[in-house]
mmCIF file of all heavy atoms in Angstrom:
data_model
loop_
_atom_site.group_PDB
_atom_site.id
_atom_site.type_symbol
_atom_site.label_atom_id
_atom_site.label_comp_id
_atom_site.label_asym_id
_atom_site.label_seq_id
_atom_site.Cartn_x
_atom_site.Cartn_y
_atom_site.Cartn_z
ATOM 1 N N GLY Q 1 74.145 1.694 -15.114
ATOM 2 C CA GLY Q 1 73.396 1.220 -13.946
ATOM 3 C C GLY Q 1 72.332 0.197 -14.283
ATOM 4 O O GLY Q 1 71.384 0.000 -13.515
ATOM 5 N N LYS Q 2 72.499 -0.485 -15.411
ATOM 6 C CA LYS Q 2 71.539 -1.497 -15.861
ATOM 7 C C LYS Q 2 72.309 -2.643 -16.484
ATOM 8 O O LYS Q 2 73.380 -2.449 -17.036
ATOM 9 C CB LYS Q 2 70.582 -0.911 -16.905
ATOM 10 C CG LYS Q 2 69.882 0.374 -16.483
ATOM 11 C CD LYS Q 2 69.089 0.974 -17.626
ATOM 12 C CE LYS Q 2 68.693 2.402 -17.338
ATOM 13 N NZ LYS Q 2 67.877 2.526 -16.130
ATOM 14 N N ARG Q 3 71.731 -3.845 -16.389
ATOM 15 C CA ARG Q 3 72.432 -5.001 -16.930
ATOM 16 C C ARG Q 3 71.471 -5.935 -17.651
ATOM 17 O O ARG Q 3 70.266 -5.916 -17.434
ATOM 18 C CB ARG Q 3 73.205 -5.752 -15.824
ATOM 19 C CG ARG Q 3 72.324 -6.402 -14.777
ATOM 20 C CD ARG Q 3 73.141 -6.909 -13.588
ATOM 21 N NE ARG Q 3 74.077 -7.942 -13.951
ATOM 22 C CZ ARG Q 3 73.764 -9.230 -14.076
ATOM 23 N NH1 ARG Q 3 72.523 -9.640 -13.883
ATOM 24 N NH2 ARG Q 3 74.675 -10.116 -14.380
ATOM 25 N N LYS Q 4 72.039 -6.723 -18.559
ATOM 26 C CA LYS Q 4 71.291 -7.783 -19.227
ATOM 27 C C LYS Q 4 71.062 -8.904 -18.213
ATOM 28 O O LYS Q 4 71.871 -9.067 -17.302
ATOM 29 C CB LYS Q 4 72.088 -8.320 -20.421
ATOM 30 C CG LYS Q 4 72.411 -7.287 -21.486
ATOM 31 C CD LYS Q 4 73.367 -7.822 -22.542
ATOM 32 C CE LYS Q 4 74.775 -7.998 -22.021
ATOM 33 N NZ LYS Q 4 75.759 -8.375 -23.065
ATOM 34 N N PRO Q 5 70.006 -9.685 -18.303
ATOM 35 C CA PRO Q 5 69.044 -9.785 -19.419
ATOM 36 C C PRO Q 5 67.743 -9.023 -19.199
ATOM 37 O O PRO Q 5 66.745 -9.317 -19.833
ATOM 38 C CB PRO Q 5 68.762 -11.284 -19.446
ATOM 39 C CG PRO Q 5 68.780 -11.675 -17.986
ATOM 40 C CD PRO Q 5 69.840 -10.803 -17.354
ATOM 41 N N HIS Q 6 67.752 -8.031 -18.284
ATOM 42 C CA HIS Q 6 66.500 -7.368 -17.934
ATOM 43 C C HIS Q 6 65.879 -6.636 -19.127
ATOM 44 O O HIS Q 6 66.568 -5.906 -19.859
ATOM 45 C CB HIS Q 6 66.721 -6.393 -16.781
ATOM 46 C CG HIS Q 6 67.273 -7.051 -15.552
ATOM 47 N ND1 HIS Q 6 66.694 -8.151 -14.972
ATOM 48 C CD2 HIS Q 6 68.379 -6.780 -14.808
ATOM 49 C CE1 HIS Q 6 67.394 -8.524 -13.915
ATOM 50 N NE2 HIS Q 6 68.433 -7.712 -13.805
ATOM 51 N N LYS Q 7 64.613 -6.831 -19.293
ATOM 52 C CA LYS Q 7 63.850 -6.219 -20.383
ATOM 53 C C LYS Q 7 64.025 -4.702 -20.396
ATOM 54 O O LYS Q 7 64.194 -4.090 -21.444
ATOM 55 C CB LYS Q 7 62.372 -6.595 -20.198
ATOM 56 C CG LYS Q 7 61.402 -6.008 -21.191
ATOM 57 C CD LYS Q 7 60.022 -6.631 -20.952
ATOM 58 C CE LYS Q 7 58.946 -5.991 -21.822
ATOM 59 N NZ LYS Q 7 58.435 -4.746 -21.224
ATOM 60 N N GLU Q 8 64.021 -4.113 -19.201
ATOM 61 C CA GLU Q 8 64.134 -2.652 -19.087
ATOM 62 C C GLU Q 8 65.479 -2.153 -19.615
ATOM 63 O O GLU Q 8 65.570 -1.034 -20.128
ATOM 64 C CB GLU Q 8 63.964 -2.221 -17.620
ATOM 65 C CG GLU Q 8 62.608 -2.516 -17.014
ATOM 66 C CD GLU Q 8 62.420 -3.995 -16.637
ATOM 67 O OE1 GLU Q 8 63.438 -4.738 -16.589
ATOM 68 O OE2 GLU Q 8 61.264 -4.396 -16.410
ATOM 69 N N THR Q 9 66.516 -2.975 -19.497
ATOM 70 C CA THR Q 9 67.843 -2.585 -19.992
ATOM 71 C C THR Q 9 67.825 -2.455 -21.505
ATOM 72 O O THR Q 9 68.293 -1.455 -22.063
ATOM 73 C CB THR Q 9 68.903 -3.625 -19.567
ATOM 74 O OG1 THR Q 9 68.917 -3.717 -18.138
ATOM 75 C CG2 THR Q 9 70.289 -3.232 -20.072
ATOM 76 N N PHE Q 10 67.274 -3.464 -22.168
ATOM 77 C CA PHE Q 10 67.210 -3.424 -23.636
ATOM 78 C C PHE Q 10 66.339 -2.259 -24.109
ATOM 79 O O PHE Q 10 66.680 -1.573 -25.082
ATOM 80 C CB PHE Q 10 66.660 -4.746 -24.170
ATOM 81 C CG PHE Q 10 67.591 -5.907 -24.008
ATOM 82 C CD1 PHE Q 10 67.330 -6.910 -23.088
ATOM 83 C CD2 PHE Q 10 68.754 -5.999 -24.764
ATOM 84 C CE1 PHE Q 10 68.198 -7.980 -22.938
ATOM 85 C CE2 PHE Q 10 69.632 -7.064 -24.622
ATOM 86 C CZ PHE Q 10 69.346 -8.056 -23.693
ATOM 87 N N GLU Q 11 65.222 -2.023 -23.434
ATOM 88 C CA GLU Q 11 64.331 -0.920 -23.815
ATOM 89 C C GLU Q 11 65.039 0.422 -23.670
ATOM 90 O O GLU Q 11 64.936 1.284 -24.552
ATOM 91 C CB GLU Q 11 63.065 -0.953 -22.953
ATOM 92 C CG GLU Q 11 62.143 -2.118 -23.268
ATOM 93 C CD GLU Q 11 60.973 -2.227 -22.320
ATOM 94 O OE1 GLU Q 11 61.090 -1.764 -21.157
ATOM 95 O OE2 GLU Q 11 59.936 -2.795 -22.708
ATOM 96 N N TRP Q 12 65.770 0.593 -22.581
ATOM 97 C CA TRP Q 12 66.478 1.851 -22.330
ATOM 98 C C TRP Q 12 67.555 2.083 -23.385
ATOM 99 O O TRP Q 12 67.701 3.186 -23.916
ATOM 100 C CB TRP Q 12 67.101 1.822 -20.933
ATOM 101 C CG TRP Q 12 67.727 3.118 -20.520
ATOM 102 C CD1 TRP Q 12 67.138 4.146 -19.854
ATOM 103 C CD2 TRP Q 12 69.089 3.529 -20.765
ATOM 104 N NE1 TRP Q 12 68.045 5.170 -19.665
ATOM 105 C CE2 TRP Q 12 69.238 4.818 -20.210
ATOM 106 C CE3 TRP Q 12 70.183 2.924 -21.381
ATOM 107 C CZ2 TRP Q 12 70.444 5.514 -20.259
ATOM 108 C CZ3 TRP Q 12 71.385 3.628 -21.442
ATOM 109 C CH2 TRP Q 12 71.513 4.906 -20.880
ATOM 110 N N VAL Q 13 68.333 1.026 -23.692
ATOM 111 C CA VAL Q 13 69.419 1.142 -24.665
ATOM 112 C C VAL Q 13 68.878 1.453 -26.060
ATOM 113 O O VAL Q 13 69.384 2.343 -26.752
ATOM 114 C CB VAL Q 13 70.280 -0.144 -24.683
ATOM 115 C CG1 VAL Q 13 71.222 -0.159 -25.886
ATOM 116 C CG2 VAL Q 13 71.073 -0.266 -23.391
ATOM 117 N N LEU Q 14 67.828 0.739 -26.481
ATOM 118 C CA LEU Q 14 67.250 0.985 -27.809
ATOM 119 C C LEU Q 14 66.688 2.393 -27.916
ATOM 120 O O LEU Q 14 66.811 3.046 -28.962
ATOM 121 C CB LEU Q 14 66.161 -0.036 -28.109
ATOM 122 C CG LEU Q 14 66.646 -1.451 -28.472
ATOM 123 C CD1 LEU Q 14 65.454 -2.351 -28.738
ATOM 124 C CD2 LEU Q 14 67.561 -1.432 -29.681
ATOM 125 N N ASN Q 15 66.074 2.862 -26.848
ATOM 126 C CA ASN Q 15 65.543 4.236 -26.848
ATOM 127 C C ASN Q 15 66.677 5.241 -27.018
ATOM 128 O O ASN Q 15 66.558 6.209 -27.779
ATOM 129 C CB ASN Q 15 64.789 4.497 -25.547
ATOM 130 C CG ASN Q 15 64.179 5.897 -25.506
ATOM 131 O OD1 ASN Q 15 63.293 6.234 -26.275
ATOM 132 N ND2 ASN Q 15 64.672 6.720 -24.593
ATOM 133 N N ASP Q 16 67.796 5.005 -26.339
ATOM 134 C CA ASP Q 16 68.936 5.909 -26.459
ATOM 135 C C ASP Q 16 69.570 5.816 -27.845
ATOM 136 O O ASP Q 16 70.019 6.826 -28.402
ATOM 137 C CB ASP Q 16 69.980 5.569 -25.390
ATOM 138 C CG ASP Q 16 71.073 6.616 -25.300
ATOM 139 O OD1 ASP Q 16 70.822 7.684 -24.705
ATOM 140 O OD2 ASP Q 16 72.176 6.381 -25.844
ATOM 141 N N MET Q 17 69.588 4.604 -28.414
ATOM 142 C CA MET Q 17 70.112 4.413 -29.766
ATOM 143 C C MET Q 17 69.211 5.069 -30.813
ATOM 144 O O MET Q 17 69.684 5.492 -31.863
ATOM 145 C CB MET Q 17 70.222 2.917 -30.083
ATOM 146 C CG MET Q 17 71.345 2.194 -29.363
ATOM 147 S SD MET Q 17 71.214 0.367 -29.518
ATOM 148 C CE MET Q 17 71.191 0.157 -31.311
ATOM 149 N N GLY Q 18 67.900 5.107 -30.524
ATOM 150 C CA GLY Q 18 66.949 5.702 -31.458
ATOM 151 C C GLY Q 18 66.435 4.736 -32.507
ATOM 152 O O GLY Q 18 66.064 5.156 -33.610
ATOM 153 N N TYR Q 19 66.385 3.434 -32.149
ATOM 154 C CA TYR Q 19 65.908 2.421 -33.087
ATOM 155 C C TYR Q 19 64.787 1.591 -32.466
ATOM 156 O O TYR Q 19 64.747 1.385 -31.250
ATOM 157 C CB TYR Q 19 67.041 1.464 -33.480
ATOM 158 C CG TYR Q 19 68.107 2.090 -34.333
ATOM 159 C CD1 TYR Q 19 69.271 2.600 -33.767
ATOM 160 C CD2 TYR Q 19 67.961 2.174 -35.718
ATOM 161 C CE1 TYR Q 19 70.259 3.173 -34.545
ATOM 162 C CE2 TYR Q 19 68.945 2.751 -36.506
ATOM 163 C CZ TYR Q 19 70.088 3.242 -35.923
ATOM 164 O OH TYR Q 19 71.068 3.816 -36.702
ATOM 165 N N ALA Q 20 63.902 1.081 -33.330
ATOM 166 C CA ALA Q 20 62.891 0.123 -32.912
ATOM 167 C C ALA Q 20 63.545 -1.256 -32.843
ATOM 168 O O ALA Q 20 64.508 -1.525 -33.565
ATOM 169 C CB ALA Q 20 61.730 0.106 -33.909
ATOM 170 N N PRO Q 21 63.029 -2.167 -31.988
ATOM 171 C CA PRO Q 21 63.640 -3.505 -31.847
ATOM 172 C C PRO Q 21 63.777 -4.258 -33.162
ATOM 173 O O PRO Q 21 64.798 -4.919 -33.394
ATOM 174 C CB PRO Q 21 62.675 -4.226 -30.897
ATOM 175 C CG PRO Q 21 62.015 -3.140 -30.122
ATOM 176 C CD PRO Q 21 61.898 -1.987 -31.063
ATOM 177 N N GLU Q 22 62.768 -4.154 -34.028
ATOM 178 C CA GLU Q 22 62.804 -4.910 -35.281
ATOM 179 C C GLU Q 22 63.873 -4.403 -36.255
ATOM 180 O O GLU Q 22 64.175 -5.068 -37.250
ATOM 181 C CB GLU Q 22 61.436 -4.895 -35.963
ATOM 182 C CG GLU Q 22 60.913 -3.519 -36.300
ATOM 183 C CD GLU Q 22 60.036 -2.915 -35.208
ATOM 184 O OE1 GLU Q 22 60.157 -3.338 -34.039
ATOM 185 O OE2 GLU Q 22 59.225 -2.029 -35.541
ATOM 186 N N ASP Q 23 64.460 -3.243 -35.955
ATOM 187 C CA ASP Q 23 65.488 -2.675 -36.837
ATOM 188 C C ASP Q 23 66.915 -3.018 -36.385
ATOM 189 O O ASP Q 23 67.885 -2.626 -37.041
ATOM 190 C CB ASP Q 23 65.348 -1.151 -36.897
ATOM 191 C CG ASP Q 23 64.044 -0.717 -37.549
ATOM 192 O OD1 ASP Q 23 63.550 -1.476 -38.410
ATOM 193 O OD2 ASP Q 23 63.516 0.345 -37.191
ATOM 194 N N VAL Q 24 67.025 -3.744 -35.266
ATOM 195 C CA VAL Q 24 68.340 -3.999 -34.663
ATOM 196 C C VAL Q 24 68.612 -5.497 -34.552
ATOM 197 O O VAL Q 24 67.711 -6.271 -34.227
ATOM 198 C CB VAL Q 24 68.425 -3.351 -33.257
ATOM 199 C CG1 VAL Q 24 69.770 -3.646 -32.593
ATOM 200 C CG2 VAL Q 24 68.204 -1.841 -33.349
ATOM 201 N N LEU Q 25 69.858 -5.894 -34.812
ATOM 202 C CA LEU Q 25 70.299 -7.270 -34.585
ATOM 203 C C LEU Q 25 71.234 -7.280 -33.378
ATOM 204 O O LEU Q 25 72.227 -6.556 -33.349
ATOM 205 C CB LEU Q 25 71.030 -7.826 -35.810
ATOM 206 C CG LEU Q 25 71.609 -9.242 -35.634
ATOM 207 C CD1 LEU Q 25 70.496 -10.272 -35.419
ATOM 208 C CD2 LEU Q 25 72.474 -9.623 -36.839
ATOM 209 N N PHE Q 26 70.904 -8.112 -32.388
ATOM 210 C CA PHE Q 26 71.691 -8.244 -31.165
ATOM 211 C C PHE Q 26 72.519 -9.519 -31.248
ATOM 212 O O PHE Q 26 71.986 -10.609 -31.419
ATOM 213 C CB PHE Q 26 70.735 -8.288 -29.968
ATOM 214 C CG PHE Q 26 71.388 -8.507 -28.631
ATOM 215 C CD1 PHE Q 26 72.456 -7.730 -28.215
ATOM 216 C CD2 PHE Q 26 70.911 -9.492 -27.766
ATOM 217 C CE1 PHE Q 26 73.048 -7.933 -26.976
ATOM 218 C CE2 PHE Q 26 71.485 -9.701 -26.530
ATOM 219 C CZ PHE Q 26 72.558 -8.918 -26.128
ATOM 220 N N ILE Q 27 73.844 -9.382 -31.123
ATOM 221 C CA ILE Q 27 74.762 -10.518 -31.230
ATOM 222 C C ILE Q 27 75.296 -10.835 -29.844
ATOM 223 O O ILE Q 27 75.981 -10.010 -29.227
ATOM 224 C CB ILE Q 27 75.930 -10.209 -32.198
ATOM 225 C CG1 ILE Q 27 75.390 -9.791 -33.577
ATOM 226 C CG2 ILE Q 27 76.855 -11.409 -32.335
ATOM 227 C CD1 ILE Q 27 75.335 -8.298 -33.806
ATOM 228 N N GLU Q 28 74.994 -12.038 -29.343
ATOM 229 C CA GLU Q 28 75.229 -12.369 -27.929
ATOM 230 C C GLU Q 28 75.518 -13.859 -27.766
ATOM 231 O O GLU Q 28 74.965 -14.693 -28.484
ATOM 232 C CB GLU Q 28 73.975 -11.974 -27.133
ATOM 233 C CG GLU Q 28 73.871 -12.492 -25.728
ATOM 234 C CD GLU Q 28 74.845 -11.847 -24.772
ATOM 235 O OE1 GLU Q 28 74.823 -10.611 -24.598
ATOM 236 O OE2 GLU Q 28 75.643 -12.610 -24.177
ATOM 237 N N ASP Q 29 76.400 -14.199 -26.801
ATOM 238 C CA ASP Q 29 76.754 -15.606 -26.587
ATOM 239 C C ASP Q 29 76.061 -16.236 -25.381
ATOM 240 O O ASP Q 29 76.165 -17.449 -25.184
ATOM 241 C CB ASP Q 29 78.276 -15.755 -26.435
ATOM 242 C CG ASP Q 29 78.780 -15.206 -25.102
ATOM 243 O OD1 ASP Q 29 78.387 -14.071 -24.745
ATOM 244 O OD2 ASP Q 29 79.558 -15.886 -24.421
ATOM 245 N N SER Q 30 75.353 -15.450 -24.564
ATOM 246 C CA SER Q 30 74.682 -15.990 -23.374
ATOM 247 C C SER Q 30 73.206 -16.241 -23.666
ATOM 248 O O SER Q 30 72.472 -15.302 -24.012
ATOM 249 C CB SER Q 30 74.791 -15.017 -22.202
ATOM 250 O OG SER Q 30 76.143 -14.821 -21.846
ATOM 251 N N PRO Q 31 72.746 -17.491 -23.540
ATOM 252 C CA PRO Q 31 71.341 -17.806 -23.866
ATOM 253 C C PRO Q 31 70.337 -17.017 -23.053
ATOM 254 O O PRO Q 31 69.292 -16.631 -23.567
ATOM 255 C CB PRO Q 31 71.234 -19.310 -23.597
ATOM 256 C CG PRO Q 31 72.468 -19.709 -22.866
ATOM 257 C CD PRO Q 31 73.517 -18.695 -23.170
ATOM 258 N N GLN Q 32 70.650 -16.731 -21.779
ATOM 259 C CA GLN Q 32 69.697 -15.975 -20.959
ATOM 260 C C GLN Q 32 69.547 -14.533 -21.440
ATOM 261 O O GLN Q 32 68.480 -13.936 -21.325
ATOM 262 C CB GLN Q 32 70.087 -16.015 -19.474
ATOM 263 C CG GLN Q 32 71.385 -15.290 -19.118
ATOM 264 C CD GLN Q 32 72.594 -16.182 -19.180
ATOM 265 O OE1 GLN Q 32 72.629 -17.131 -19.968
ATOM 266 N NE2 GLN Q 32 73.596 -15.895 -18.353
ATOM 267 N N HIS Q 33 70.610 -13.993 -22.015
ATOM 268 C CA HIS Q 33 70.540 -12.634 -22.546
ATOM 269 C C HIS Q 33 69.802 -12.605 -23.880
ATOM 270 O O HIS Q 33 69.095 -11.642 -24.187
ATOM 271 C CB HIS Q 33 71.947 -12.045 -22.699
ATOM 272 C CG HIS Q 33 72.678 -11.908 -21.397
ATOM 273 N ND1 HIS Q 33 74.031 -11.655 -21.325
ATOM 274 C CD2 HIS Q 33 72.241 -12.002 -20.113
ATOM 275 C CE1 HIS Q 33 74.396 -11.595 -20.054
ATOM 276 N NE2 HIS Q 33 73.320 -11.809 -19.306
ATOM 277 N N ILE Q 34 69.959 -13.670 -24.648
ATOM 278 C CA ILE Q 34 69.198 -13.816 -25.893
ATOM 279 C C ILE Q 34 67.705 -13.849 -25.577
ATOM 280 O O ILE Q 34 66.901 -13.175 -26.236
ATOM 281 C CB ILE Q 34 69.620 -15.099 -26.651
ATOM 282 C CG1 ILE Q 34 71.024 -14.943 -27.252
ATOM 283 C CG2 ILE Q 34 68.600 -15.458 -27.735
ATOM 284 C CD1 ILE Q 34 71.120 -14.028 -28.452
ATOM 285 N N GLU Q 35 67.331 -14.614 -24.560
ATOM 286 C CA GLU Q 35 65.922 -14.711 -24.178
ATOM 287 C C GLU Q 35 65.389 -13.370 -23.699
ATOM 288 O O GLU Q 35 64.250 -12.998 -23.985
ATOM 289 C CB GLU Q 35 65.735 -15.778 -23.090
ATOM 290 C CG GLU Q 35 65.949 -17.199 -23.592
ATOM 291 C CD GLU Q 35 65.097 -17.529 -24.808
ATOM 292 O OE1 GLU Q 35 63.870 -17.268 -24.770
ATOM 293 O OE2 GLU Q 35 65.653 -18.017 -25.820
ATOM 294 N N GLY Q 36 66.209 -12.623 -22.958
ATOM 295 C CA GLY Q 36 65.802 -11.293 -22.500
ATOM 296 C C GLY Q 36 65.560 -10.353 -23.659
ATOM 297 O O GLY Q 36 64.599 -9.579 -23.655
ATOM 298 N N ALA Q 37 66.421 -10.431 -24.670
ATOM 299 C CA ALA Q 37 66.280 -9.576 -25.853
ATOM 300 C C ALA Q 37 65.020 -9.921 -26.638
ATOM 301 O O ALA Q 37 64.338 -9.036 -27.170
ATOM 302 C CB ALA Q 37 67.518 -9.709 -26.739
ATOM 303 N N LYS Q 38 64.708 -11.207 -26.707
ATOM 304 C CA LYS Q 38 63.526 -11.646 -27.461
ATOM 305 C C LYS Q 38 62.227 -11.123 -26.847
ATOM 306 O O LYS Q 38 61.221 -10.973 -27.545
ATOM 307 C CB LYS Q 38 63.494 -13.172 -27.533
ATOM 308 C CG LYS Q 38 64.498 -13.770 -28.514
ATOM 309 C CD LYS Q 38 64.404 -15.288 -28.539
ATOM 310 C CE LYS Q 38 65.354 -15.896 -29.559
ATOM 311 N NZ LYS Q 38 65.289 -17.372 -29.550
ATOM 312 N N LYS Q 39 62.255 -10.834 -25.548
ATOM 313 C CA LYS Q 39 61.054 -10.351 -24.870
ATOM 314 C C LYS Q 39 60.614 -8.975 -25.373
ATOM 315 O O LYS Q 39 59.464 -8.590 -25.199
ATOM 316 C CB LYS Q 39 61.273 -10.306 -23.357
ATOM 317 C CG LYS Q 39 61.317 -11.690 -22.727
ATOM 318 C CD LYS Q 39 61.570 -11.617 -21.225
ATOM 319 C CE LYS Q 39 61.620 -13.016 -20.621
ATOM 320 N NZ LYS Q 39 61.937 -12.988 -19.176
ATOM 321 N N ILE Q 40 61.537 -8.245 -25.985
ATOM 322 C CA ILE Q 40 61.144 -6.952 -26.566
ATOM 323 C C ILE Q 40 61.202 -7.003 -28.097
ATOM 324 O O ILE Q 40 61.249 -5.979 -28.761
ATOM 325 C CB ILE Q 40 61.991 -5.783 -26.022
ATOM 326 C CG1 ILE Q 40 63.456 -5.890 -26.486
ATOM 327 C CG2 ILE Q 40 61.917 -5.679 -24.517
ATOM 328 C CD1 ILE Q 40 64.187 -4.567 -26.432
ATOM 329 N N ASN Q 41 61.235 -8.241 -28.624
ATOM 330 C CA ASN Q 41 61.208 -8.475 -30.080
ATOM 331 C C ASN Q 41 62.459 -8.010 -30.815
ATOM 332 O O ASN Q 41 62.394 -7.666 -32.004
ATOM 333 C CB ASN Q 41 59.964 -7.822 -30.707
ATOM 334 C CG ASN Q 41 58.676 -8.425 -30.183
ATOM 335 O OD1 ASN Q 41 58.572 -9.645 -30.038
ATOM 336 N ND2 ASN Q 41 57.707 -7.575 -29.869
#
């Protein structure tokens, strides 16, 4: 029930994964989604 590039989506997914943003590499082809991911570092 959540989609990229919303900041809340990345935060929710990382919390469920159990990792901090700096510990994860996000591989993506859409520039707007890259920008959304960068907002949470």
Side-chain angles (χ1 to χ4, degrees):
K2 307 173 195 301
R3 66 190 297 277
K4 300 172 288 186
H6 302 307
K7 177 173 174 277
E8 296 77 15
T9 301
F10 290 109
E11 290 174 334
W12 186 91
V13 168
L14 285 180
N15 182 65
D16 190 78
M17 287 168 56
Y19 291 95
E22 59 268 22
D23 295 331
V24 178
L25 176 64
F26 176 51
I27 304 98
E28 167 71 59
D29 72 312
S30 298
Q32 67 269 30
H33 297 167
I34 289 287
E35 290 306 311
K38 285 180 177 178
K39 288 179 180 177
I40 67 159
N41 297 318

